[in-house]
Amino acid sequence: MAKRILTLTLFYCLTCFSLNANKAVEPCDMICGKWQSEKKNCIVEVSHDDDDYVARLVWFDDSDDPSKPMESRLDTNNPDKKLRSRKLVGMNVLQGLVYKSKTNSWENGMIYDAQTGKKWNAAANLVAPGKLKVTGYWHFKFIGRSMIFNRVSS
């Protein structure tokens, strides 16, 4: 009886392993998941949305003003007055990234800086396992500014 239980357990484990092995992450989806800025002041969650990738703000450091908790902060610097009442948490701050297999990078996106209310062109690439470099720029990448994000364990 113990031998049969051991055999069934082994079979179950091997079956589960083979099912998970078949669900390998496609290179284009390697940026999906939660990422924390190197300064540890924000966390974004990147996801696949139709043909492109988006990132929404899920957490940021609100210690600059304890009277205004993160959940209550609004997009007050947005140039579009109709959008100034939307909450920062949950807001898409990066959108339109498209995976380019030739360069193994995500290009042609737009990043939104809620502190200034400005949008910039954006690109992203993995610079090391668990490290994502996001560059915001105006027409030319060499004029831009980059941030490094570290993958957050789920």
Side-chain angles (χ1 to χ4, degrees):
M1 182 68 160
K3 193 174 191 180
R4 184 177 173 147
I5 291 173
L6 180 61
T7 304
L8 287 173
T9 303
L10 182 60
F11 175 74
Y12 175 76
C13 290
L14 288 174
T15 303
C16 288
F17 177 75
S18 67
L19 288 174
N20 286 335
N22 291 334
K23 293 181 182 178
V25 176
E26 294 288 325
C28 59
D29 288 335
M30 293 292 291
I31 63 168
C32 291
K34 289 186 180 177
W35 298 88
Q36 183 176 43
S37 67
E38 207 166 49
K39 293 180 180 180
K40 299 183 188 284
N41 61 358
C42 71
I43 296 176
V44 296
E45 184 171 20
V46 178
S47 60
H48 201 161
D49 183 33
D50 293 325
D51 292 333
D52 58 2
Y53 293 82
V54 298
R56 66 183 182 90
L57 186 63
V58 294
W59 176 87
F60 64 90
D61 181 7
D62 60 359
S63 62
D64 62 323
D65 186 353
S67 69
K68 293 182 185 176
M70 169 181 60
E71 295 82 12
S72 68
R73 302 234 183 149
L74 304 176
D75 189 15
T76 55
N77 295 320
N78 197 305
D80 184 344
K81 292 180 182 180
K82 291 177 242 163
L83 298 177
R84 291 181 184 169
S85 61
R86 68 180 175 170
K87 292 188 177 194
L88 292 177
V89 172
M91 179 177 69
N92 279 350
V93 291
L94 181 62
Q95 54 196 21
L97 285 176
V98 178
Y99 180 68
K100 304 291 184 183
S101 59
K102 190 174 183 179
T103 57
N104 195 31
S105 63
W106 293 261
E107 305 286 337
N108 305 324
M110 293 298 289
I111 192 166
Y112 176 68
D113 179 3
Q115 292 178 328
T116 64
K118 294 183 180 180
K119 286 186 177 181
W120 304 93
N121 299 94
N125 65 304
L126 294 167
V127 292
K131 284 202 176 292
L132 178 67
K133 178 181 173 185
V134 177
T135 303
Y137 59 95
W138 186 71
H139 298 292
F140 305 102
K141 288 183 192 171
F142 65 87
I143 299 176
R145 190 178 101 205
S146 296
M147 290 177 65
I148 299 293
F149 289 82
N150 296 302
R151 186 175 291 280
V152 176
S153 300
S154 297

